[in-house]
């Protein structure tokens, strides 16, 4: 039985005061049966780590470099994140694929860099609305996943996958539990062909998950929790989603 995982993606939101209030609120609401983590902007990671010391809530970053170190101005290496206790790193979020032209191979290389430093990459895949309408959902998510499978080979079972249909992110439009489950099942089948441990891998759903739709999504056979954007910024809302996963 896979333990559910709920990860908050704060995106480019937060401040010293807002983060302190959010983390205090969350710690007062927990703990939960599900595993819970928050992924904060880089400048706040150290203070998030400090606030969460001794807490069951894990923390992570929203991106990392594919490179080990060197002349890559503005980038943050996986080794740097690992050095002060980071657990997760999101790679291939659709906002990075769209706004920073991240290719499938770059995302795979970032996942590899993360694993090399014992961070757990949360690899995001998902189709745009135009791709869904053109009947390309399966081809797109399989292509995105395939780059990661080929790059990581037998290490693929160490990643967390997040299926995030681009049309559902921040739009208030959620995939129905059946739509999401159908894609999760095909991702699981693809992972099964690559790893005997695919049955133990977590595949999260992301895209306008809220307290009132979380339970029905999380009840699907291949949905092992959620990657939560907007609703992770309010302790009460995020805690309700964590409860729905428990
Ligand atoms: C996300 O940013 O990964 C996300 C799923 O956002 P939202 O929950 O706001 O749709």
């Amino acid at each position: 039985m896979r333990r559910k995982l709920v990860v908050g993606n704060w995106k480019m939101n937060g401040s010293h005061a807002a983060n302190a209030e959010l983390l205090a609120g969350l710690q007062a609401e927990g703990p939960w049966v599900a595993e819970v983590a928050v992924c904060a902007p880089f400048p706040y990671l150290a203070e998030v780590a400090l606030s969460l010391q001794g807490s069951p809530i894990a923390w992570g970053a929203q991106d990392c470099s594919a490179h080990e170190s060197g002349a890559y101005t503005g980038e943050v290496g996986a080794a740097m994140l690992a050095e002060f206790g980071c657990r997760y790193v999101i790679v291939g979020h659709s906002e990075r694929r769209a706004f920073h032209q991240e290719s499938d191979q770059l995302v795979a290389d970032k996942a590899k860099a993360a694993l090399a430093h014992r961070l757990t990459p949360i690899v995001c895949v998902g189709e745009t609305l135009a791709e869904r309408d053109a009947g390309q959902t399966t081809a797109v998510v399989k292509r995105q996943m395939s780059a990661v499978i080929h790059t990581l080979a037998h290490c693929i079972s160490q990643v967390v996958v997040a299926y995030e249909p681009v049309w559902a992110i921040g739009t208030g439009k959620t995939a129905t539990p059946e739509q999401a489950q159908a894609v999760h099942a095909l991702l699981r089948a693809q992972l099964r062909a690559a790893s005997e441990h695919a049955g133990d891998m977590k595949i999260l759903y992301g895209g306008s998950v809220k307290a009132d739709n979380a339970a029905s999504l999380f009840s699907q056979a291949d949905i092992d929790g959620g990657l939560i954007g907007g609703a992770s910024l309010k302790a009460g809302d995020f805690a309700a989603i964590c409860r729905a996963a428990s």
Side-chain angles (χ1 to χ4, degrees):
M1 174 97 179
R2 296 180 295 269
R3 189 177 173 203
K4 296 257 192 295
L5 169 65
V6 180
V7 180
N9 172 17
W10 293 0
K11 310 195 189 203
M12 200 174 75
N13 293 294
S15 65
H16 286 306
N19 301 345
E21 189 185 331
L22 177 52
L23 291 174
L26 273 184
Q27 290 181 87
E29 296 258 7
W32 302 275
V33 174
E35 274 178 77
V36 173
V38 294
C39 291
F42 289 130
Y44 297 126
L45 289 178
E47 71 185 34
V48 167
L50 201 61
S51 299
L52 294 178
Q53 246 172 22
S55 155
I57 303 173
W59 60 273
Q62 299 172 13
D63 185 32
C64 72
S65 177
H67 304 287
E68 186 56 33
S69 63
Y72 302 102
T73 303
E75 295 210 28
V76 173
M80 298 170 182
L81 296 170
E83 199 173 22
F84 61 109
C86 183
R87 170 88 191 276
Y88 293 103
V89 59
I90 299 171
V91 295
H93 191 282
S94 63
E95 287 152 14
R96 294 211 59 89
R97 290 181 190 260
F99 306 146
H100 301 271
Q101 288 75 45
E102 293 197 1
S103 66
D104 296 340
Q105 190 55 51
L106 178 62
V107 172
D109 291 341
K110 288 183 173 196
K112 188 172 182 179
L115 281 183
H117 293 282
R118 297 173 181 272
L119 305 179
T120 300
I122 300 173
V123 178
C124 301
V125 298
E127 81 288 3
T128 63
L129 187 56
E131 289 163 342
R132 173 163 283 262
D133 287 347
Q136 295 169 348
T137 300
T138 301
V140 169
V141 298
K142 280 184 127 181
R143 188 202 71 220
Q144 292 171 335
M145 197 70 255
S146 168
V148 184
I149 289 172
H150 285 116
T151 300
L152 299 188
H154 67 278
C155 295
I156 187 64
S157 62
Q158 294 168 38
V159 314
V160 169
V161 175
Y163 168 55
E164 296 209 311
V166 180
W167 49 272
I169 297 180
T171 58
K173 289 185 196 146
T174 318
T176 64
E178 294 73 24
Q179 280 174 322
Q181 166 59 25
V183 178
H184 282 234
L186 77 85
L187 285 168
R188 178 98 53 206
Q190 188 181 7
L191 291 164
R192 251 187 235 289
S195 168
E196 58 185 315
H197 303 295
D200 300 325
M201 290 178 66
K202 293 189 206 302
I203 308 179
L204 312 183
Y205 169 79
S208 298
V209 177
K210 305 273 181 275
D212 59 3
N213 60 22
S216 57
L217 286 159
F218 298 163
S219 68
Q220 298 296 309
D222 289 292
I223 301 186
D224 305 311
L227 180 56
I228 319 297
S232 71
L233 297 173
K234 286 199 181 132
D237 294 350
F238 190 58
I241 294 170
C242 297
R243 269 196 301 280
S246 297

